[in-house]
Amino acid sequence: MFKKNYLYSAALAATLVSAPQAFAVSMTSSSDILDRYWSPDKLGFLECQYGVLNSTPLGLPRCIQASNIQYHLEMLYGIAQANNGNRAAGLPGYGASLDYIQQTLESVGYQVERKAFPFNMYYELGDGVLEATGPEPSTYVFDQDFTYFSQTTGGDVTAPVTAVDVQLGAGNTSSSGCEADDFAAFPAGHIALLQRGSCAFQTKAENAAAAGASAVIIFNQGDSDDRKDLLDATLGDGYSGGIPALFATYDNGAMWSQISDLELRLKADVVREQTQSYNLVAETARGDGSNIVMAGAHLDSVYAGAGINDNGSGSAALLEMAIQMSKAFPRNKVRFAWWGAEEAGLVGSTEYVKALSDEEKANIKVYLNYDMIGSPNFGNFIYDGDGSSFDLQGPPGSAATEKLFEKYFGLRGLAFEGSEISFRSDYAQFFEEGIAFGGLFTGAEGIKTEEQAVKFGGEAGSAYDPCYHAQCDDLLNINTRALEINADASAFVTSWLSLSTKAIDDEIAASEEQPEGRLSGMSYQHGYDKTHWGKHWIK
């Protein structure tokens, strides 16, 4: 294994020899030098052609240029424009995106696998309808009083409403609908009115369906003020209830539960159908196949738009890194993956990991995830592998991976923060299997604080990505500086680990000396209550 000091000096010597013009600047600090070096106005003609720079953690970021990533984004945007404005899994725009990535990889010598997996394609055709037909007529407003569960079945139902085991008021501990016994006296054909709490929405809806409900409405729990409004929630790709399901505010649900002889009409104007999608996987020809560094990004967009930041940014940066690493000489094999159906609930990455044998899982030393790395009002966020920011530690090796990303931002003199392990992106199943992970994120619908605006620039009080999951997530929705910085960070860490995983190895070895060993299912070991699987709330 390379020693760290040797790795730095050898890489820096190579880069200085190959591109002295990059350092014809005022040498005010090492971070200023590296910042200028990694983001040059223009590369020399032969700089990244022979695999020298491409093989080092100080050289590869120089080879990863935002202009090349921007070209890939323009291609993905053109694909979306030619396919009804999106690149959603199961639709033609996603297929064309796969073709572009695969053809580009094959043009530089990669053998590419296109791996199929089943999933339930879901998208909205129109707004939902919810109205009281008795005892007093009333109409409710979509996306204000109620909304769809992602993965709901479509349907138009008018029926009496029966509340099931609800608990109202602050501090309630509702487990409404979590047990089959909750429905012991439920009248078949009624709409089940359930309350959030204790178990997954999927469990509640499937229990209602098994009891003969014609539809289900789940309202927010209301145990605290922050659990009263609407959520972006899902029943999950595996939902098998076969009845329409809506999510409602606590105030409406509490009111409905107190109305005798309530009858509602609800309509879910959606499409949900079983189909298949694909992951793309390619790996370097060189390197140890029993010590794999895996890097991934989801390729699909939501149905609402082209998904240029979410997650064209991660996919395009990963593609450019793969192109540059096709010339590299890694000691450890690097495997690249573009995941499908992430927006449907991490389906592609979950299916991929679950299908691996124990030996294949053991061969993956670390997984690196890049999801939204060009947010217009960005922050530099690193997954909190050591648990120091959010009290949930990743599998052994994750802390060492986080430290490598921190090393990059430190070298460049840039601020960064930890990002919560929330199971909102494709690292989730790797985490569950006890595989070390790390990665980057520049923010989605969250609101930038005053402190973060001082640290990163941008506008406090506004979302990191105001066009998150919206039609306006287009080519104008990218901060080029954020894209450059975070693409370079991905290159730095991936290249480092392609040469040596010693820091991860040492952390894993130390964990195996502890009584619990190298654990899988770390979320359960830490008592962590998963509330997300992908971008949606699951409970």
Side-chain angles (χ1 to χ4, degrees), residues 323-361:
I323 292 169
Q324 296 302 328
M325 289 199 76
S326 68
K327 307 158 191 170
F329 296 88
R331 291 191 170 191
N332 303 311
K333 191 173 289 292
V334 180
R335 180 178 296 166
F336 305 96
W338 288 263
W339 306 118
E342 188 268 1
E343 299 290 1
L346 315 183
V347 184
S349 58
T350 300
E351 292 289 332
Y352 174 85
V353 178
K354 285 184 173 180
L356 295 174
S357 67
D358 289 343
E359 180 181 1
E360 288 170 327
K361 291 173 190 173

Side-chain angles (χ1 to χ4, degrees), residues 72 104-105 108 110 318-327:
H72 302 313
T104 303
L105 291 169
V108 293
Y110 283 99
L318 189 69
L319 177 59
E320 186 59 26
M321 180 161 60
I323 292 169
Q324 296 302 328
M325 289 199 76
S326 68
K327 307 158 191 170

Side-chain angles (χ1 to χ4, degrees), residues 49-383:
Q49 297 302 309
Y50 298 108
V52 177
L53 292 185
N54 317 63
S55 298
T56 70
L58 290 185
L60 185 60
R62 181 171 172 85
C63 297
I64 305 293
Q65 294 299 296
S67 58
N68 293 336
I69 300 171
Q70 190 70 33
Y71 172 80
H72 302 313
L73 291 177
E74 290 168 2
M75 295 300 290
L76 293 176
Y77 183 68
I79 287 168
Q81 291 299 98
N83 290 279
N84 203 33
N86 69 68
R87 302 180 300 100
L91 295 179
Y94 183 71
S97 299
L98 287 169
D99 291 341
Y100 173 69
I101 301 292
Q102 182 167 355
Q103 290 165 11
T104 303
L105 291 169
E106 289 174 344
S107 72
V108 293
Y110 283 99
Q111 299 292 317
V112 182
E113 290 186 89
R114 188 177 292 210
K115 295 177 176 288
F117 59 87
F119 90 110
N120 284 295
M121 181 172 65
Y122 168 86
Y123 57 94
E124 301 175 10
L125 294 175
D127 291 351
V129 174
L130 183 60
E131 54 192 15
T133 55
E136 293 186 9
S138 183
T139 300
Y140 300 97
V141 180
F142 184 69
D143 276 347
Q144 179 176 314
D145 296 312
F146 74 100
T147 192
Y148 293 135
F149 275 104
S150 177
Q151 295 292 339
T152 180
T153 302
D156 191 335
V157 174
T158 302
V161 176
T162 296
V164 177
D165 194 27
V166 302
Q167 293 183 27
L168 303 182
N172 74 73
T173 58
S174 173
S175 61
S176 168
C178 289
E179 304 292 337
D181 289 348
D182 292 345
F183 298 87
F186 186 81
H190 281 211
I191 295 171
L193 179 64
L194 309 179
Q195 185 178 9
R196 181 189 184 191
S198 299
C199 66
F201 298 126
Q202 179 179 350
T203 301
K204 294 174 184 282
E206 289 179 349
N207 284 342
S214 56
V216 61
I217 299 171
I218 303 175
F219 63 93
N220 211 338
Q221 186 171 352
D223 54 322
S224 58
D225 287 341
D226 62 346
R227 292 170 68 88
K228 289 186 174 182
D229 297 331
L230 297 182
L231 293 176
D232 185 4
T234 185
L235 301 172
D237 180 69
Y239 171 61
S240 60
I243 60 174
L246 302 179
F247 187 79
T249 64
Y250 171 77
D251 288 344
N252 278 308
M255 175 185 65
W256 295 329
S257 73
Q258 302 303 302
I259 300 176
S260 299
D261 301 320
L262 176 65
E263 183 179 85
L264 292 175
R265 178 198 172 213
L266 64 80
K267 179 182 178 182
D269 189 13
V270 304
V271 170
R272 184 177 192 252
E273 59 184 43
Q274 181 75 46
T275 184
Q276 67 177 13
S277 191
Y278 301 88
N279 299 319
L280 279 186
V281 180
E283 58 187 28
T284 56
R286 306 178 183 95
D288 182 358
S290 66
N291 200 46
I292 295 169
V293 176
M294 189 166 188
H298 78 85
L299 182 57
D300 60 313
S301 74
V302 294
Y303 295 95
I308 297 305
N309 186 38
D310 184 17
N311 182 39
S313 60
S315 289
L318 189 69
L319 177 59
E320 186 59 26
M321 180 161 60
I323 292 169
Q324 296 302 328
M325 289 199 76
S326 68
K327 307 158 191 170
F329 296 88
R331 291 191 170 191
N332 303 311
K333 191 173 289 292
V334 180
R335 180 178 296 166
F336 305 96
W338 288 263
W339 306 118
E342 188 268 1
E343 299 290 1
L346 315 183
V347 184
S349 58
T350 300
E351 292 289 332
Y352 174 85
V353 178
K354 285 184 173 180
L356 295 174
S357 67
D358 289 343
E359 180 181 1
E360 288 170 327
K361 291 173 190 173
N363 287 340
I364 300 174
K365 184 56 59 69
V366 62
Y367 172 69
L368 306 172
N369 193 68
Y370 305 116
D371 189 356
M372 301 180 65
I373 62 169
S375 303
N377 194 30
F378 74 96
N380 296 318
F381 301 120
I382 305 169
Y383 293 138

